[in-house]
mmCIF file of all heavy atoms in Angstrom:
data_model
loop_
_atom_site.group_PDB
_atom_site.id
_atom_site.type_symbol
_atom_site.label_atom_id
_atom_site.label_comp_id
_atom_site.label_asym_id
_atom_site.label_seq_id
_atom_site.Cartn_x
_atom_site.Cartn_y
_atom_site.Cartn_z
ATOM 1 N N ASP A 52 26.815 -7.238 39.960
ATOM 2 C CA ASP A 52 27.401 -8.514 39.678
ATOM 3 C C ASP A 52 27.566 -8.735 38.202
ATOM 4 O O ASP A 52 27.826 -9.872 37.751
ATOM 5 C CB ASP A 52 26.565 -9.653 40.254
ATOM 6 C CG ASP A 52 25.124 -9.623 39.689
ATOM 7 O OD1 ASP A 52 24.702 -8.561 39.158
ATOM 8 O OD2 ASP A 52 24.404 -10.661 39.845
ATOM 9 N N ALA A 67 31.943 -11.202 23.811
ATOM 10 C CA ALA A 67 32.828 -10.573 22.826
ATOM 11 C C ALA A 67 32.629 -11.089 21.386
ATOM 12 O O ALA A 67 32.985 -10.513 20.369
ATOM 13 C CB ALA A 67 34.287 -10.730 23.228
ATOM 14 N N GLU A 96 5.302 -25.917 -8.861
ATOM 15 C CA GLU A 96 4.724 -26.303 -10.163
ATOM 16 C C GLU A 96 3.666 -27.394 -10.038
ATOM 17 O O GLU A 96 2.891 -27.617 -10.966
ATOM 18 C CB GLU A 96 5.861 -26.828 -11.125
ATOM 19 C CG GLU A 96 6.739 -25.679 -11.615
ATOM 20 C CD GLU A 96 7.734 -26.221 -12.576
ATOM 21 O OE1 GLU A 96 7.788 -27.436 -12.808
ATOM 22 O OE2 GLU A 96 8.510 -25.389 -13.134
ATOM 23 N N VAL A 134 16.521 -21.941 15.741
ATOM 24 C CA VAL A 134 15.452 -22.798 15.237
ATOM 25 C C VAL A 134 14.360 -21.934 14.549
ATOM 26 O O VAL A 134 13.857 -22.279 13.490
ATOM 27 C CB VAL A 134 14.814 -23.612 16.354
ATOM 28 C CG1 VAL A 134 13.558 -24.321 15.905
ATOM 29 C CG2 VAL A 134 15.871 -24.696 16.843
ATOM 30 N N LEU A 421 16.824 -7.135 -11.597
ATOM 31 C CA LEU A 421 16.638 -7.466 -12.989
ATOM 32 C C LEU A 421 16.724 -9.020 -13.198
ATOM 33 O O LEU A 421 15.909 -9.614 -13.883
ATOM 34 C CB LEU A 421 17.590 -6.768 -13.893
ATOM 35 C CG LEU A 421 17.417 -6.881 -15.396
ATOM 36 C CD1 LEU A 421 16.103 -6.338 -15.819
ATOM 37 C CD2 LEU A 421 18.585 -6.227 -16.139
#
Side-chain angles (χ1 to χ4, degrees):
D52 60 341
E96 287 182 357
V134 169
L421 187 62

